[in-house]
Amino acid sequence: NLTLLRASADHVAVRTLPSRDSSEMMQRNGMQFGVHVPYARTTITVANADTADILQTILPQDFWGDRNIGYWVWETECLPLHFQTATRYFDEIWTPSAYSASAIRAITQKPVRVVPHTVSFAEIAAAVSDRGLWGLPTDKTLFGFFFDPKSVLERKNVNGLIDAFLSAVRPDDNAMLVLKSNERAFYSLDYEMIKARARSHPERILFM
């Protein structure tokens, strides 16, 4: 999507938002995460409805442009009504699927447009796999699962996945399940129990 934006706009500036941890929050000012924020005619904020109020506390006022777009993704049939107020910060909402658009349209009269994720098939075709770079076994069939433990861990159902995988593989199957967490869930007992369970099956499960 950034490639398309850069091809269609005179200037595109990218800013990475911090996590919700209070230690990473910054005071509002003219500097955005150490980088000056120039005035933008259009802003596209890739952050879900449940973070909109948090963004107001960390983004400087001059971050917002004449036209402000929120890029949201939602996986249930209806966006909870208490997120309806999040739309007040945006002129329209973009989302990558018709399914997600239907959920968002149920709680707002503002325009909701489907803007799918883009994939560069040329880059995929040119990619060379290197399992050794990531410490992955080169002699096994690998099944991968990637998750964010801070995004309601129960909803990811990692334990259900482990149950399904262990019951599906046969003793002679040369296969492993690779679990990749994008960051640690500090002080989460459930997260630590999943790690411990994975490590109790080192021949079948790799936790990264």
Side-chain angles (χ1 to χ4, degrees), residues 43-117:
T43 70
I44 303 174
T45 305
V46 184
N48 264 337
D50 57 336
T51 64
D53 289 331
I54 297 174
L55 292 177
Q56 280 297 302
T57 68
I58 62 173
L59 291 174
Q61 288 296 335
D62 58 3
F63 169 84
W64 304 101
D66 295 330
R67 179 168 172 256
N68 300 290
I69 299 166
Y71 195 94
W72 296 356
V73 182
W74 204 254
E75 62 273 275
T76 58
E77 294 180 351
C78 185
L79 193 71
L81 280 175
H82 59 271
F83 291 147
Q84 185 173 23
T85 57
T87 62
R88 70 184 183 275
Y89 303 119
F90 304 104
D91 299 293
E92 61 184 80
I93 306 298
W94 292 359
T95 189
S97 72
Y99 179 88
S100 183
S102 177
I104 298 168
R105 288 184 182 120
I107 59 97
T108 183
Q109 296 298 312
K110 292 188 176 180
V112 178
R113 307 184 193 281
V114 176
V115 180
H117 296 309

Side-chain angles (χ1 to χ4, degrees), residues 6-207:
R6 288 181 170 125
S8 60
D10 294 333
H11 178 70
V12 175
V14 180
R15 302 289 179 261
T16 301
L17 299 176
S19 74
R20 296 196 214 183
D21 293 340
S22 58
S23 62
E24 296 186 29
M25 296 300 185
M26 300 180 67
Q27 297 294 324
R28 291 197 203 190
N29 53 50
M31 299 291 287
Q32 174 63 19
F33 317 124
V35 180
H36 176 66
V37 180
Y39 174 76
R41 287 180 296 175
T42 301
T43 70
I44 303 174
T45 305
V46 184
N48 264 337
D50 57 336
T51 64
D53 289 331
I54 297 174
L55 292 177
Q56 280 297 302
T57 68
I58 62 173
L59 291 174
Q61 288 296 335
D62 58 3
F63 169 84
W64 304 101
D66 295 330
R67 179 168 172 256
N68 300 290
I69 299 166
Y71 195 94
W72 296 356
V73 182
W74 204 254
E75 62 273 275
T76 58
E77 294 180 351
C78 185
L79 193 71
L81 280 175
H82 59 271
F83 291 147
Q84 185 173 23
T85 57
T87 62
R88 70 184 183 275
Y89 303 119
F90 304 104
D91 299 293
E92 61 184 80
I93 306 298
W94 292 359
T95 189
S97 72
Y99 179 88
S100 183
S102 177
I104 298 168
R105 288 184 182 120
I107 59 97
T108 183
Q109 296 298 312
K110 292 188 176 180
V112 178
R113 307 184 193 281
V114 176
V115 180
H117 296 309
T118 58
V119 176
S120 171
F121 292 101
E123 290 185 15
I124 292 175
V128 177
S129 66
D130 184 0
R131 290 185 177 184
L133 181 65
W134 309 105
L136 297 172
T138 59
D139 59 342
K140 296 182 181 294
T141 299
L142 302 181
F143 296 85
F145 182 72
F146 304 81
F147 66 99
D148 180 356
K150 291 185 177 180
S151 181
V152 189
L153 187 55
E154 297 85 353
R155 188 162 57 88
K156 309 305 178 183
N157 196 20
V158 183
N159 277 314
L161 172 65
I162 293 174
D163 289 338
F165 182 79
L166 293 178
S167 63
V169 294
R170 301 172 304 189
D172 60 337
D173 283 333
N174 190 29
M176 288 190 74
L177 174 64
V178 179
L179 301 175
K180 177 66 174 71
S181 166
N182 68 339
E183 60 179 314
R184 278 187 66 187
F186 290 101
Y187 313 116
S188 168
L189 177 61
D190 290 337
Y191 178 78
E192 296 301 328
M193 289 179 67
I194 290 172
K195 282 174 58 178
R197 186 180 181 198
R199 288 169 180 169
S200 69
H201 299 277
E203 76 289 352
R204 289 296 184 199
I205 304 174
L206 178 62
F207 194 102

